[in-house]
Each structure stands twice: as C-alpha cells, then as structure tokens.
Amino acid sequence: MWEWAQTALVAGNLAWTTLCLGGFLAETMMITSALNGLLLAVHLAARTAGGVGRAHPAGKWLLPFLFYALANVYWVSPVRWLGWRDWLGWAQMILVFWVVLNGVRAPSARTALILFMMGLGVTVVVLECYQRFVHPDWLMLGRTQADQYLHRSSGPFGIPNSAGAFLILLLPATIALTVRRGARAVQRLAFGYLVLLFSFGLVLTVSRGAWLGLAIALAAWPLFASRRHWLWRLAGGVVIAGVLVAAAAGLRSTVPMVAERFEAFVRDSGEHARPIIWRAAWRIFQEHPVWGGGAAGFDPLFEKYRPDRFLDQPVWAHNDYLNTLCDYGAVGFALFFGVCALIMCKSWRRPASDEKPRRREFDGSLVVQGLAAGLLAFALQLLVEFNLKIPALAMSAAIVAALVVQRRWFVSENLSPPGAAGRCIGGAMIAAVAAAICLFVLPRYHAEALRESMRWEIDHTARNPVPKTQERALLVRARAQFARATELDPDNAQAWADRAYATALWSRHEEGKNLMLGAESEGYARRAVSLSTVVPEFWMRLGVSLDMQGHWVDAEEPFIRALTLAPSNPLTWYYHAYHLAFNPQEKGLAEAAVAICLRLDPGNREAEALRRRLANSR
C-alpha cells in the first residue's frame, strides 16, 4: 500500500507539473510543492509504519550539496528570494530521486512508473501535433507561444527544447523494449509504434541539442553496454552513427524547418547567443571561483558583462553545468555533478549476486541500459540547455536516474520494526514537513505567483496600450496584489520593486498627488534596494520615486548606480536620460544618454520619442 501510494504521488505530480508548462510558473509550483511535501510525508510514514530499512547510499551522497546550497542562499546569494526558489528546485528534484530509489522497489511499481512516463510522452507528442498543425501559437494555461517558436512544437512545455529533453529520456528505453529478446509480436509492434511516435515528436521540436545528445548517446550505447569483443562494439557504434547521419540528411533535404536550423548552425559556427551568455557565466565564476556568485545570482550579475546590442534576458546560462559553477562555485559543482558522476560510475556494474538478473520485461539489463542511454542524452543536452531549472524535466531525470541506480547498485532493505523512539521521531519529522510546507514554502510561491501574473499583465499592457479606464482598473488590482505579495513574503525584493512601479504608474491617474505617491513609491523602492543592491531595476525605481517628489539631485545617485551595474542595458540609459531631461541645464547630457540608448537598442520607441521631445524643446 505504501509503495503504491508513493508511486501514484510521483506519477500524478509529474503529470500535473508537465502539463502546466513544465512547472515554469510559480502558481504551478504551489501545487507541485504541496504534492512533493505530501510525498515526503507518505515516505516518512511508510518507513515509520512499515519498518525502517537501510536508505540507499546514493541518496545520502547528495545531501551535502543540499546543505551547502542552503548555506549559499543565506550567506552568498545577492538575490536571496530567488535563491530560495532555486534551492527548492534542487531539493524537490533530490526528494523525487530519494523516494523512487528507496520507496518504489517492487518490479510492478517500477514498471507502472515507466509505462506512465511513456503514456505522458504520448500526451506530449499529441499536444505537439495540435500545436504544429492546428493552432501554432497555442500554449497551456491560456498562454501564447513566443514568435520565435511558432514553427516549432513544445507540447505542454513553453519551450520546444524542453519537449525534446523529455522525449530523449524515453526513446532509448522504448527502443530497448522493442528489440529485446523474448518480446512477443504484439509487444514489438506496440513499442515500435511508440519509438516512431516519440521520434516524430522529437523532429517537431526541431531541437538541435536534443538531436545531438540522443545521437551521441545511441552511438555510444554499444561501446559500453555489451560484453562482446571491442571490435564488435565499435562496429555497432559506427553502424548506429551511420544510420543517424543518414536520417539527419534525409530530414534536412525534406523538412524546410530542419534545413533552416542546420544552415543557421553552420552559419553561426554552432551558436550565436549562447557563447555570449557562456562567456559571461565563466567570468562570473572567475570572479567567485570557490563559493560562486550566489544561488540564482547569474541573471542579475550577467548585466555587468552584457555586450552592446545584446537585448536578450537570458535568466539562466543555457548550460546547467556552467550555471551551477557560476552560482555555487567549484565547491557546489563538485558536491552535485561530481557526486552524480561517482554514483553513475558506482552503478555501472553487473547486479549484485544477491539480486539475480530478472527476466521481467522492464527489469532486463537491456531496458536498464536504455534508461541509462536516455539519461546520458539528457546530460549531454544540459551543455546547451537549462533543463534542471524546469521542474518537470528535473523530476523526470530524477525518476530515470533512480530506476537505473536502483537496478544496477543493489542494496538490501533489511527491514526492522521501528521502536517507540523511532515512531516518535517519524511523527515529529512528518509534522515538521507539514509546517515547513504550509508556513514557508507555499507563502513564498503564492507571493511570487501574485507578483508574476500581475507584472506580466502590466508589461503586456505597456506593449499593447489599452483605454485609460482599463489601465486604471488594472493598476487598482496590481497595487492590491503587490501589497498582498509583500505581506506573504516580505523578503521578495522584486515584489517591493513592482509595488513601487505600480505606485508610480498610478500617479498618472491621480492628478496633484505626485509628492504623496512619490514618497510612497520611494519607501517600497528603498525596501527593495535594502534586500538586494545588485539589481539595476531597483535603483531605477528609487530614482523615479525621487524625481516624482522633485528631488532631482538626490535621484542622480540611484540612476548612476543602475548604470554602473548594467552599463550596456538600453533601459538604464533611457531612464537616466528621462531623469536628466527634467533639468534644462542637463539637456545635452540627456540627448547623449538617449543617443547611447538608441545605439544599444535602435528600435526603442520610447527613447525615440524622448529624443524628438528634446529636439523640439530647443
């Protein structure tokens, strides 16, 4: 009963998170975190009620990273409210790995979990087809797909590369189930159909990183998986590589979108934007080699290294290894990826003598090899993606990794009934988990969900102006939601900055109240700055609030601080130019600042309007 309860919770939570844009939004993570808290409580209850067995060493080996990352959030991260979310992502991924490794041991439960993931893969491909052939700009949760992805399919995810990552985790194991010895004709037909379906879905993503990762993993499979002579293994790898090259050539000649992606790859010598982001991440690491720049610190620290005319907001480094290195330093990298490598090396051996290889379909060595090959493909794609930052993908990788480790590195349970002290400790731990989820985790995600949705609406309205009455109603809701967000999570500096922003916008609808609203906005902006001094936007909000009160001289310093933090961001130059324009004596400097903004972002309409206004005021 306990084992199937844990299996159902893992499967249900994975489905929920996957079908909600992969868990990208904070509102999704409220439910995901609650379900993971319930999963941990059920796991603890199972160990308390059903007997205490030996926990698998692989799960224990990852705990030092969690403690280190927690310390990093407290003492290193310059953006602690973001660091907490990053830490919760790591914690929930390791939790899923731990529970599947220790709590889903029966072959029937493992089989059910694998089949469920394959069924979810079918759902992903079906949604990809709907997106590609029926409604190209459709996304889950009523969202609209970004223009850059309109000819690529992402299914339930927001990004096509994420859908590709999910499918490459499943494809090798599905191939193994198709070609394994002893499979009946119906089984070969069913799993062969899944191979074709998943392959078609992978093509629809047009994800080069997923394709390359899968190709390398499949070609390497014979080299490491067989006990035959090395010449036979080498020949197998060459044959697979040849088939994959032929398939790629066929796709390039028949599918225009695939051909365009290949040509872009050649034209840009591999990549255009990612090397810029990678160089910035490496420079952050060079400045903070031991402890890193701090949990979730990459995005704000990137501004210092942003090149001219690079307008993307990367958020993450598009390379999970490099992102971990620049956020957590060499220590954090070794504690996570170094330990992961040790676990896989330890696991890559024949099953222990007290667990003989089974002939069950999903327990055979070929299927386990397929799961490992999918994991290798996923790990290779991490070189160009941020899959571990997408909760659904992190959970999926944790499940597959746990199934591989559990099957290859056998540890006997040796259950022993818990004593009275053990039951008391188990009950206390369950109560602690419930308290942490209800009092700490959910309020933070709720606050971010309120802030995130409201800021998205404000930004959308800024790009697509609405009548003044609609804008007024929007700002009334925004001020209320941002206030609620800061109440739920007083440490969320971005919520305080957004509250200052909404208050400044509200001044457009309240004539004669600039001084009062400016003072109110200043209080919120100062709270944001007190929580983090490395985010340029916070300083700009402070400068705007001081300008609203007529404190032009005092406002100069915040704008200069913003420029120091983000010297190549056109937005900081625009705000500084707008500030300078209030003083007629600084008109020349204002024009120069606008010119720099337009050089960095030639299409900036607001800056162009300000330039014309300055020119007409001569």
Side-chain angles (χ1 to χ4, degrees):
M1 179 188 71
W2 291 112
E3 190 159 5
W4 280 103
Q6 292 172 79
T7 304
L9 279 170
V10 169
N13 201 5
L14 177 63
W16 157 262
T17 310
T18 300
L19 295 176
C20 293
L21 297 175
F24 186 78
L25 300 178
E27 61 189 52
T28 300
M29 289 307 295
M30 285 180 62
I31 307 299
T32 298
S33 301
L35 289 174
N36 276 329
L38 180 59
L39 174 65
L40 179 55
V42 170
H43 180 72
L44 292 171
R47 293 180 66 83
T48 302
V52 179
R54 179 187 173 194
H56 199 290
K60 298 176 183 178
W61 288 8
L62 291 171
L63 294 182
F65 171 77
L66 270 189
F67 291 119
Y68 167 79
L70 182 63
N72 192 285
V73 171
Y74 266 109
W75 291 303
V76 182
S77 177
V79 283
R80 188 180 295 179
W81 77 100
L82 294 176
W84 269 117
R85 289 188 65 188
D86 197 59
W87 184 85
L88 287 171
W90 289 109
Q92 293 184 66
M93 177 179 66
I94 292 173
L95 167 65
V96 171
F97 176 76
W98 177 288
V99 170
V100 175
L101 188 62
N102 295 288
V104 184
R105 290 175 176 259
S108 56
R110 294 199 295 248
T111 298
L113 201 50
I114 295 173
L115 286 176
F116 182 86
M117 290 186 69
M118 290 182 175
L120 193 56
V122 172
T123 304
V124 169
V125 177
V126 169
L127 293 175
E128 281 188 78
C129 291
Y130 174 77
Q131 193 178 47
R132 179 67 181 87
F133 302 111
V134 180
H135 199 167
D137 63 349
W138 170 86
L139 275 183
M140 301 292 289
L141 306 179
R143 296 284 176 134
T144 301
Q145 182 60 283
D147 292 342
Q148 68 192 90
Y149 299 134
L150 284 181
H151 299 291
R152 300 171 58 194
S153 295
S154 60
F157 297 93
I159 304 171
N161 297 337
S162 298
F166 187 81
L167 293 174
I168 63 175
L169 266 175
L170 302 176
L171 255 170
T174 313
I175 293 171
L177 285 164
T178 305
V179 303
R180 66 184 178 81
R181 288 182 182 179
R184 295 187 292 274
V186 174
Q187 292 173 329
R188 293 189 191 278
L189 186 64
F191 288 113
Y193 173 76
L194 286 182
V195 170
L196 294 176
L197 186 68
F198 293 161
S199 300
F200 181 65
L202 188 59
V203 171
L204 290 180
T205 66
V206 199
S207 174
R208 298 172 302 192
W211 294 348
L212 288 171
L214 181 64
I216 294 171
L218 291 178
W221 190 350
L223 301 178
F224 299 100
S226 176
R227 295 190 297 272
R228 292 176 178 262
H229 192 273
W230 69 269
L231 285 175
W232 188 97
R233 287 182 284 157
L234 182 62
V238 170
V239 169
I240 292 175
V243 171
L244 293 172
V245 169
L251 286 172
R252 182 179 180 181
S253 62
T254 56
V255 182
M257 187 63 184
V258 174
E260 182 182 333
R261 292 283 285 173
F262 272 108
E263 289 168 7
F265 185 79
V266 174
R267 183 174 60 251
D268 296 332
S269 300
E271 275 292 343
H272 171 65
R274 281 184 175 87
I276 293 173
I277 300 170
W278 295 339
R279 283 193 292 270
W282 183 252
R283 292 182 67 182
I284 293 171
F285 166 68
Q286 286 180 314
E287 285 193 6
H288 314 276
V290 180
W291 314 116
F298 168 77
D299 193 41
L301 297 179
F302 170 79
E303 291 296 342
K304 181 180 177 181
Y305 307 103
R306 179 188 292 275
D308 289 359
R309 297 199 175 190
F310 185 80
L311 303 179
D312 294 350
Q313 193 62 42
V315 183
W316 296 298
H318 290 260
N319 179 321
D320 267 321
Y321 304 107
L322 196 51
N323 208 141
T324 305
L325 197 61
C326 76
D327 279 357
Y328 296 97
V331 174
F333 184 89
L335 286 175
F336 184 75
F337 287 112
V339 167
C340 287
L342 287 175
I343 290 172
M344 286 303 160
C345 289
K346 177 75 173 175
S347 303
W348 200 245
R349 58 182 178 82
R350 296 187 64 183
S353 58
D354 52 354
E355 187 190 32
K356 297 179 181 179
R358 300 182 177 103
R359 297 184 61 82
R360 291 187 179 91
E361 297 163 7
F362 290 84
D363 264 346
S365 61
L366 187 63
V367 177
V368 177
Q369 291 171 16
L371 291 171
L375 204 59
L376 174 61
F378 186 90
L380 290 170
Q381 196 194 10
L382 294 185
L383 289 167
V384 293
E385 291 300 335
F386 45 84
N387 294 339
L388 296 184
K389 304 301 182 185
I390 307 298
L393 294 180
M395 291 167 61
S396 300
I399 292 169
V400 173
L403 293 172
V404 171
V405 172
Q406 185 187 83
R407 188 65 185 90
R408 298 293 302 188
W409 180 1
F410 177 71
V411 174
S412 178
E413 286 187 276
N414 293 326
L415 292 179
S416 60
R423 286 192 293 270
C424 289
I425 292 173
M429 292 177 68
I430 292 171
V433 168
I437 293 294
C438 294
L439 300 178
F440 181 81
V441 177
L442 293 184
R444 276 165 170 73
Y445 276 123
H446 188 196
E448 181 61 16
L450 291 172
R451 187 210 67 79
E452 195 174 61
S453 62
M454 206 68 254
R455 181 59 188 265
W456 183 87
E457 285 193 51
I458 290 176
D459 291 344
H460 180 75
T461 303
R463 293 189 297 268
N464 306 279
V466 297
K468 195 167 184 178
T469 54
Q470 281 185 244
E471 183 182 84
R472 183 183 178 90
L474 172 65
L475 290 175
V476 168
R477 289 192 295 113
R479 297 188 72 196
Q481 283 199 200
F482 290 145
R484 178 61 177 153
T486 54
E487 290 172 9
L488 287 168
D489 184 8
D491 293 331
N492 190 326
Q494 187 64 60
W496 287 106
D498 288 347
R499 196 173 178 183
Y501 182 32
T503 303
L505 292 175
W506 182 247
S507 65
R508 300 178 184 177
H509 301 270
E510 294 287 342
E511 294 184 8
K513 294 186 177 181
N514 259 26
L515 288 176
M516 181 186 72
L517 292 173
E520 183 183 344
S521 179
E522 180 188 353
Y524 303 145
R526 288 196 183 279
R527 182 63 183 273
V529 168
S530 70
L531 292 168
S532 178
T533 59
V534 301
V535 182
E537 182 188 353
F538 299 174
W539 292 104
M540 289 188 286
R541 300 290 169 227
L542 179 57
V544 168
S545 67
L546 291 169
D547 275 339
M548 290 171 65
Q549 300 172 74
H551 300 162
W552 188 88
V553 175
D554 294 336
E556 181 70 10
E557 182 184 353
F559 287 116
I560 294 296
R561 288 291 297 269
L563 284 173
T564 303
L565 291 168
S568 296
N569 191 321
L571 193 61
T572 57
W573 285 102
Y574 169 74
Y575 270 89
H576 193 215
Y578 202 95
H579 158 73
L580 292 170
F582 283 114
N583 187 345
Q585 296 178 353
E586 303 292 351
K587 183 179 175 182
L589 289 176
E591 290 177 332
V594 169
I596 295 174
C597 175
L598 288 170
R599 177 177 63 81
L600 296 172
D601 181 12
N604 192 310
R605 292 178 298 177
E606 291 82 4
E608 185 61 41
L610 179 58
R611 185 189 65 80
R612 289 195 299 268
R613 195 186 84 186
L614 289 169
N616 294 335
S617 64
R618 289 175 181 172

